[in-house]
Amino acid sequence: AATSANTNRFMQGLLEVAAGTGSSPVGFSTTAYNLNPAEIIIGANAIQLVRGGLYRFTLSLNVEFLLAAVPASLPLLTVSLNAGSSTFRPVIKQPMILRGGSTYHAYSVTEFEIYIPDNTTISIGKSLSFAGSPTSITFDGILAGHLVAE
């Protein structure tokens, strides 16, 4: 019997360097691989999954930001997966760690499975909760995904 290869696999770099925290999706950088560009359409900050099904995602995220002054409580990082009109949150929710001066850092790796309907656009949402004004924020990491079952 012939075996069928699952070519619905991708790994996308994440990178955003900005001032302000905004709730806009995290921007994308280099695509490490996309084995099926006809069914996985990668844009500037979103991915359209043409074929629906159960997808397994791995999200690795490194966040660092600099505040003008140290706040009274640790900043909180919340990361969600937006899929069409649905938001799956939080896939990451953790306090950030003070690294020195007023520079905060968070690193997280998580895996999760979610059913994605046909022709759904996904993106990575972010939120930082803290008191103060950031002078710079950097989000970087990867989002990898593959179709587990239709």
Side-chain angles (χ1 to χ4, degrees):
T3 60
S4 63
N6 176 1
T7 60
N8 274 40
R9 295 175 179 273
F10 68 90
M11 181 182 287
Q12 177 61 49
L14 306 173
L15 180 62
E16 182 173 325
V17 179
T21 60
S23 58
S24 62
V26 174
F28 290 166
S29 61
T30 304
T31 301
Y33 60 85
N34 180 354
L35 301 184
N36 193 348
E39 293 188 359
I40 302 170
I41 302 164
I42 299 176
N45 62 4
I47 297 172
Q48 181 184 0
L49 298 173
V50 175
R51 188 186 323 173
L54 181 65
Y55 279 82
R56 173 177 280 274
F57 296 101
T58 302
L59 175 63
S60 171
L61 192 60
N62 184 45
V63 180
E64 184 170 286
F65 74 100
L66 179 64
L67 288 174
V70 175
S73 59
L74 289 175
L76 181 65
L77 169 67
T78 304
V79 179
S80 61
L81 177 77
N82 304 315
S85 60
S86 299
T87 299
F88 300 94
R89 79 158 79 223
V91 291
I92 298 172
K93 186 170 188 173
Q94 70 184 58
M96 298 187 71
I97 298 167
L98 181 62
R99 287 183 68 178
S102 56
T103 299
Y104 289 84
H105 181 257
Y107 176 76
S108 186
V109 176
T110 188
E111 288 189 349
F112 50 96
E113 290 183 350
I114 296 177
Y115 179 82
I116 304 291
D118 289 346
N119 294 308
T120 298
T121 299
I122 64 168
S123 62
I124 301 297
K126 69 189 182 308
S127 171
L128 288 168
S129 301
F130 60 91
S133 298
T135 57
S136 69
I137 300 174
T138 303
F139 290 85
D140 68 75
I142 59 118
L143 173 65
H146 67 275
L147 181 64
V148 175
E150 290 186 64

